């Protein structure tokens, strides 16, 4: 459970992560590799959110906006 954290990195996917379940990921984009490495180094969680459109999960997208993702997701830890 998150405590005292107001912001976490988000990983928009075209699938959902159910609480308590595992989700194997093949992470190939540099921005998400960096995010995962930071989470591993600090033992932090990240959020998995369902993308509303293909733009949110497209490779090399520089700007993803809140309108591109659903507002509810699941926290995840590696």
């Amino acid at each position: 459970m998150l405590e005292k954290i107001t912001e976490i990195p988000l990983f928009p996917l075209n699938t959902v992560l159910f609480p308590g379940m595992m989700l194997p990921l093949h992470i190939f984009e540099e921005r998400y590799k960096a995010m995962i490495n930071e989470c591993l180094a600090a033992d932090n969680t990240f959020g998995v959110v369902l993308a509303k459109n293909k733009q949110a999960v497209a490779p090399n997208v520089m700007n993803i906006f809140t309108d591109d993702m659903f507002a509810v997701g699941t926290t995840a830890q590696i």
Side-chain angles (χ1 to χ4, degrees), residues 23-54:
L23 179 63
L25 297 172
H26 173 73
I27 302 169
F28 57 91
E29 286 188 59
E30 291 304 318
R31 63 184 167 160
Y32 293 121
K33 285 182 182 181
M35 180 191 83
I36 294 301
N37 285 332
E38 290 174 15
C39 289
L40 283 169
D43 195 31
N44 285 340
T45 60
F46 62 97
V48 175
V49 292
L50 181 61
K52 286 184 179 180
N53 55 51
K54 290 182 180 183

Side-chain angles (χ1 to χ4, degrees), residues 4-15:
K4 299 182 184 179
I5 296 176
T6 57
E7 293 184 14
I8 60 173
L10 297 178
F11 200 154
L13 296 172
N14 59 0
T15 188

Side-chain angles (χ1 to χ4, degrees), residues 1 6 15-16 19 22 32 38 40-41 48 57 65 68 75 77:
M1 176 138 221
T6 57
T15 188
V16 295
M22 290 181 57
Y32 293 121
E38 290 174 15
L40 283 169
V48 175
V57 294
F65 302 98
D68 295 324
T75 58
Q77 190 166 16

Side-chain angles (χ1 to χ4, degrees), residues 52-68:
K52 286 184 179 180
N53 55 51
K54 290 182 180 183
Q55 177 69 15
V57 294
N60 303 316
V61 172
M62 296 308 291
N63 296 310
I64 298 175
F65 302 98
T66 55
D67 289 345
D68 295 324

